[in-house]
Amino acid sequence: MTRVPCARTAAASALEALARSILAAHPVRVARWRKNLSGVAWHIAKDGVLVETRIEAPRPRTPLSFAIFAHEIGHHLQRVERGARDWPSRMEQEYDAWQRAFTLMRQHGVPITERLERRYVQAMRFALEKALRRGAARIPAYFSRFLDDPYFRR
């Protein structure tokens, strides 16, 4: 009996194949595939020179999990392009990584879903809240759209 893959499985396989091709194009090592929808990227440097970037991310099987994977790749690209100099604030790094993820998704035809858009807004509000709690001296203009949260009206 021949098994016919369902559309969902085929889409997941396509996203995993796309992730493999992105990993082949960038010197990034996946330290672990996470079971939850979170990720982390870190850089290993020796004598101030970038040696390796490692990430943890969910397996890219849905547009949301692919976006989180692409977001972590975005952090790698930030480090490659900027080096160890002129790092923007953490909230600006997060914003930039999300924008890079969206660019990567558009380039490869991965849909940006409503659920993904909500996750993005949630992540930006969290980054903004954290920066404000830590006494951020300035808030970039492009963060103004995230200031409509009741948290900021106190």
Side-chain angles (χ1 to χ4, degrees):
M1 177 178 198
T2 306
R3 187 172 181 202
V4 179
C6 70
R8 177 177 257 171
T9 306
S13 297
L15 289 175
E16 287 184 52
L18 177 56
R20 281 193 300 276
S21 71
I22 290 168
L23 287 169
H26 299 283
V28 176
R29 185 173 143 226
V30 177
R32 181 172 70 99
W33 291 113
R34 291 184 170 197
K35 294 187 188 305
N36 60 11
L37 291 174
S38 67
V40 64
W42 67 96
H43 311 284
I44 298 171
K46 190 167 189 170
D47 298 324
V49 177
L50 178 64
V51 175
E52 184 178 39
T53 300
R54 294 182 185 169
I55 65 170
E56 291 183 8
R59 272 193 197 279
R61 293 182 174 144
T62 66
L64 178 57
S65 60
F66 183 85
I68 294 166
F69 165 79
H71 174 91
E72 300 310 329
I73 295 293
H75 282 300
H76 162 70
L77 294 173
Q78 288 171 348
R79 177 64 187 235
V80 168
E81 290 174 10
R82 296 183 85 93
R85 62 177 177 24
D86 300 328
W87 281 92
S89 68
R90 183 69 183 164
M91 71 176 161
E92 291 173 290
Q93 290 177 38
E94 289 301 312
Y95 178 83
D96 181 67
W98 274 106
Q99 296 310 308
R100 290 170 188 267
F102 290 144
T103 299
L104 197 59
M105 292 176 76
R106 285 185 198 101
Q107 286 174 346
H108 295 285
V110 179
I112 297 173
T113 63
E114 188 177 315
R115 182 177 179 204
L116 173 52
E117 182 67 27
R118 284 193 310 266
R119 177 64 176 261
Y120 163 67
V121 170
Q122 176 188 15
M124 291 298 90
R125 286 181 175 158
F126 178 77
L128 184 56
E129 289 172 15
K130 187 186 238 183
L132 291 172
R133 278 194 313 268
R134 293 179 175 181
R138 67 175 191 82
I139 304 297
Y142 50 82
F143 269 88
S144 63
R145 76 176 265 216
F146 305 110
L147 287 170
D148 63 350
D149 193 337
Y151 171 85
F152 300 109
R153 294 192 192 128
R154 293 183 196 174

